[in-house]
Amino acid sequence: MSSIKLTHIHKLLPAQVGETLYQFLNYLSGPTVIHVKGEESSRCRVVVTLLHGNEPSGLKAIHQLLLSQFKPAVDTKFIIASVVAARTEPVFEYRMLPGQKDLNRCFGNHKRDLQSLLASAIKDEVQTYQAEAIIDLHNTSGSGPAFSVSVSNSEQHLAMAAHFTHRMIVTDLRLGSIMEQRLACPIITVEAGGAYDDDADLTALEGIKSFLSANDVFKQTQDIEQLHNPRRLELNPSGSIAYAQLPVKGASLTMRQDIERLNFGTTKANQLLGWLPDNNLDTLQLDNADFNVSDYFVVESSDQEGYQLKTKCTLTLFMVTTRADIASSDCLFYFIKP
Ligand SMILES: [Zn+2]
């Protein structure tokens, strides 16, 4: 059992909700469960959000729903995780507090550090509800369209995704995220879009409303495009990264400043991604040693710009970030060879 306690709120008065998102965030004391009564109390659905403190669309949506006294079809539990990281100045900047682990890489690891204990407290809590469906709501750190991520493409998982988006990444990656856990009911992750995209706030709000209003949450409302088994392009632990329009001296990798533009488009072979100081790919690695960086990416020497990093084949890139801290601690982007 975990030794971290979540705060439970069973009745939220309008004054406590706060008129603004910041008042609401300040009212929360730490990781919190908000219990909302539905039209029907024999069933329950769960929305987890703010596992990452810099991803506010889910919290914004919950704030809006509470302000409007939205009544869900069934009992609903909103689990709001990284409250402290989110409200640490600058607000909604920290994915996790400095020196701490990424909370959404700590599920199922049975370790005793703070983030792993919090992950296990959230998992234990979710298990007690006998929920019928769980959504884990995020933003991408770079700008881009919404998509869902799931370890299964069962009809139920696809139907859950359809409340939010028409895209699903069906992943074989195992990183320690909540969405990989064996829970008593289906769970998917939704990436509502970029943390600063207005569209993402709307996707989160309309998606949660749809997910919580449906009598049958597993009735699929739109077709889903599926993308299978992405890989992650990562920086070696000793590497350093910069984002710029030209190679940055001293960086082991410089990525194009406008790299986010490639999110979900078709990126053809020979597309410039960035620059390397040397004629090799040693500063890069993939999530899985069975795959080689050189099967997907190449270095080419150029007269003006030194060594250019390019795609070797057609790829679909997503979760592209321009945040150097997130690129080095997590990954540069995910990609699929169509
Ligand atoms: Zn996230």
Side-chain angles (χ1 to χ4, degrees):
M1 282 298 278
S2 145
S3 56
I4 288 200
K5 289 226 173 344
L6 308 176
T7 301
H8 290 263
I9 300 175
H10 287 272
K11 192 155 176 50
L12 202 51
L13 303 169
Q16 294 168 323
V17 176
E19 280 175 28
T20 68
L21 180 68
Y22 298 96
Q23 287 169 345
F24 179 44
L25 183 61
N26 279 324
Y27 168 72
L28 303 173
S29 56
T32 299
V33 186
I34 300 178
H35 302 256
V36 179
K37 278 259 163 259
E39 300 286 353
E40 192 188 314
S41 277
S42 59
R43 294 187 286 153
C44 163
R45 292 171 201 159
V46 179
V47 177
V48 181
T49 199
L50 215 62
L51 286 181
H52 294 138
N54 62 327
E55 301 175 7
S57 286
L59 186 73
K60 287 183 190 171
I62 292 169
H63 179 238
Q64 289 296 313
L65 293 175
L66 294 173
L67 272 182
S68 69
Q69 305 198 356
F70 171 79
K71 182 127 186 172
V74 304
D75 280 2
T76 297
K77 318 289 180 188
F78 292 121
I79 301 183
I80 303 167
S82 299
V83 169
V84 179
R87 68 159 179 249
T88 299
E89 297 277 353
V91 176
F92 295 125
E93 180 74 17
Y94 290 104
R95 184 178 172 93
M96 57 274 186
L97 288 176
Q100 293 202 351
K101 288 186 189 166
D102 184 328
L103 179 58
N104 207 27
R105 302 288 178 264
C106 292
F107 284 86
N109 71 9
H110 306 294
K111 292 186 181 156
R112 303 294 300 166
D113 61 277
L114 262 182
Q115 295 286 76
S116 299
L117 290 173
L118 176 55
S120 110
I122 291 170
K123 187 176 170 182
D124 290 347
E125 182 66 28
V126 166
Q127 298 279 45
T128 65
Y129 298 143
Q130 297 185 308
E132 55 181 8
I134 305 167
I135 296 290
D136 165 37
L137 197 54
H138 292 248
N139 290 105
T140 46
S141 50
S143 186
F147 59 97
S148 59
V149 190
S150 176
V151 295
S152 164
N153 61 346
S154 82
E155 282 179 14
Q156 290 191 329
H157 289 84
L158 293 169
M160 286 164 63
H163 291 286
F164 295 85
T165 167
H166 64 90
R167 276 197 192 91
M168 178 181 276
I169 310 292
V170 186
T171 182
D172 61 351
L173 291 167
R174 296 295 178 265
L175 305 168
S177 74
I178 190 170
M179 166 272 298
E180 301 158 18
Q181 306 303 305
R182 268 184 187 279
L183 303 170
C185 70
I187 175 169
I188 62 162
T189 286
V190 172
E191 299 281 352
Y196 301 102
D197 298 347
D198 291 342
D199 281 359
D201 295 342
L202 197 63
T203 298
L205 180 61
E206 293 304 319
I208 296 182
K209 265 195 208 165
S210 170
F211 173 72
L212 295 180
S213 304
N215 183 42
D216 179 2
V217 77
F218 301 122
K219 188 168 174 213
Q220 193 169 333
T221 51
Q222 62 175 325
D223 289 339
I224 302 285
E225 175 196 357
Q226 298 181 41
L227 299 144
H228 287 259
N229 299 339
R231 302 268 60 93
R232 283 158 53 96
L233 183 64
E234 302 171 348
L235 193 66
N236 271 336
S238 59
S240 63
I241 186 166
Y243 288 84
Q245 284 157 328
L246 285 168
V248 171
K249 231 180 161 196
S252 4
L253 171 67
T254 307
M255 292 296 277
R256 267 173 55 180
Q257 185 72 59
D258 62 350
I259 186 89
E260 283 175 358
R261 283 196 201 174
L262 302 179
N263 257 323
F264 277 109
T266 300
T267 301
K268 295 238 164 83
N270 214 29
Q271 170 70 58
L272 176 70
L273 302 175
W275 302 270
L276 292 156
D278 302 301
N279 192 12
N280 65 64
L281 293 165
D282 294 353
T283 197
L284 295 167
Q285 62 185 33
L286 299 183
D287 57 279
N288 182 328
D290 294 343
F291 296 86
N292 293 317
V293 176
S294 60
D295 288 341
Y296 307 96
F297 305 96
V298 286
V299 196
E300 272 181 19
S301 154
S302 107
D303 288 346
Q304 279 106 44
E305 296 183 355
Y307 298 102
Q308 298 179 324
L309 172 66
K310 293 183 166 182
T311 46
K312 190 174 185 178
C313 50
T314 300
L315 297 174
T316 302
L317 273 46
F318 62 99
M319 298 272 263
V320 182
T321 186
T322 51
R323 287 249 327 234
D325 57 335
I326 291 174
S328 4
S329 65
D330 197 43
C331 70
L332 304 173
F333 52 74
Y334 292 66
F335 65 91
I336 287 164
K337 195 169 170 179

